[in-house]
Amino acid sequence: MRDESRITDLVFDSRGLIPAVAQDASTGEVLMVAWMNDESLRLTRETGEAHFWSRSRNELWRKGATSGNVLKVEEIRVDCDADTLLLRVHPTGPACHTGARSCFFRVLVDHPTTPLLGGYGSVTARRAIMLAELFSIIEDRKAHPAAGSYTNRLLNDVDELLKKFGEEAVEVVVAAKGQGDRRIIEEMADLFYHALVVLSAYGLSLSAVEEELRRRQSTDRKRTSG
């Protein structure tokens, strides 16, 4: 039998706020943490989309109001002390303002060279973090143009951007034809950067590419196990 709680059971802090964790209902991945008051909770329950309270702006905000990346709420759960909410959601896009699928894309380390997560997982996390941070820089440059910025020049001229991307792809091929490992790595880094700029130029997210790769991986597993 499932325990149920009422709004009157919730424990809000002295400011009338309660922390809310947004979790992907399909994958279990934690996407973000924000704050709610009684009004944002009411709106969330009425509309089925996550509403929060911004402590910095001192106002209500609907997740995705400007980006379009809303969180459709399937269920709201309450922890054992009734002082934290868990929103099980279906995201329509990246939850993080950086363009990452989840706000939790960085790994805490206890030493500059010793990740808390060991082995393969830590390597994978660092790779994902590096790409996410680079994409975040590109997105920030898009939002806040800087004079003389190469990134802004590409973002402002899609034809030039696509031409440059094609040139970088060719340079990877040429490097792989006998220019040595170091040259391949350098040209591949250039290609990765320009690929991220293409995504940004078209308003696409890095997490969308990750989702497509996950979908293909899932399809391949089903095909090989079938």
Side-chain angles (χ1 to χ4, degrees), residues 92-219:
T92 61
C96 183
H97 73 282
T98 64
R101 172 177 169 77
S102 167
C103 292
F104 297 93
F105 60 83
R106 288 186 281 189
V107 178
L108 183 67
V109 296
D110 55 357
H111 185 276
T113 58
T114 309
L116 292 176
L117 298 175
Y120 179 77
S122 62
V123 174
T124 303
R126 288 197 299 273
R127 289 171 182 163
I129 291 166
M130 183 174 298
L131 285 176
E133 289 182 342
L134 177 56
F135 189 70
S136 176
I137 292 171
I138 293 170
E139 288 282 88
D140 183 71
R141 185 66 75 214
K142 181 180 179 180
H144 306 94
S149 166
Y150 175 66
T151 299
N152 281 135
R153 193 181 88 194
L154 294 176
L155 289 170
N156 292 330
D157 189 339
V158 176
D159 287 339
E160 180 183 356
L161 168 59
L162 296 178
K163 177 183 176 182
K164 188 62 180 176
F165 180 72
E167 291 173 353
E168 295 299 341
V170 171
E171 289 177 6
V172 169
V173 174
V174 172
K177 284 291 188 178
Q179 294 186 354
D181 294 350
R182 184 61 199 171
R183 191 60 180 165
I184 295 173
I185 291 171
E186 292 172 348
E187 295 299 345
M188 193 67 75
D190 287 343
L191 184 64
F192 280 10
Y193 159 76
H194 286 87
L196 294 179
V197 179
V198 170
L199 287 175
S200 180
Y202 283 90
L204 302 173
S205 67
L206 181 59
S207 62
V209 179
E210 294 170 350
E211 284 299 315
E212 176 61 16
L213 291 173
R214 288 194 187 98
R215 185 191 67 78
R216 295 184 183 186
Q217 184 180 41
S218 176
T219 299

Side-chain angles (χ1 to χ4, degrees), residues 9-158:
D9 297 328
L10 299 179
V11 180
F12 293 87
D13 66 14
S14 59
R15 299 163 297 180
L17 302 177
I18 188 170
V21 180
Q23 178 191 45
D24 191 310
S26 300
T27 67
E29 181 179 13
V30 174
L31 301 176
M32 61 176 288
V33 178
W35 294 86
M36 302 182 81
N37 60 8
D38 55 356
E39 180 66 8
S40 62
L41 180 56
R42 181 185 65 79
L43 287 171
T44 298
R45 288 161 58 88
E46 289 180 356
T47 65
E49 295 183 353
H51 288 67
F52 300 108
W53 177 262
S54 171
R55 294 176 299 170
S56 59
R57 300 192 303 272
N58 199 40
E59 65 181 14
L60 288 166
W61 62 285
R62 179 175 68 87
K63 173 61 179 172
T66 55
S67 67
N69 301 323
V70 302
L71 298 177
K72 297 185 179 299
V73 181
E74 175 183 292
E75 181 182 46
I76 301 176
R77 296 187 181 183
V78 183
D79 82 328
C80 56
D81 295 319
D83 60 3
T84 304
L85 300 177
L86 176 68
L87 277 59
R88 289 175 53 77
V89 303
H90 296 283
T92 61
C96 183
H97 73 282
T98 64
R101 172 177 169 77
S102 167
C103 292
F104 297 93
F105 60 83
R106 288 186 281 189
V107 178
L108 183 67
V109 296
D110 55 357
H111 185 276
T113 58
T114 309
L116 292 176
L117 298 175
Y120 179 77
S122 62
V123 174
T124 303
R126 288 197 299 273
R127 289 171 182 163
I129 291 166
M130 183 174 298
L131 285 176
E133 289 182 342
L134 177 56
F135 189 70
S136 176
I137 292 171
I138 293 170
E139 288 282 88
D140 183 71
R141 185 66 75 214
K142 181 180 179 180
H144 306 94
S149 166
Y150 175 66
T151 299
N152 281 135
R153 193 181 88 194
L154 294 176
L155 289 170
N156 292 330
D157 189 339
V158 176

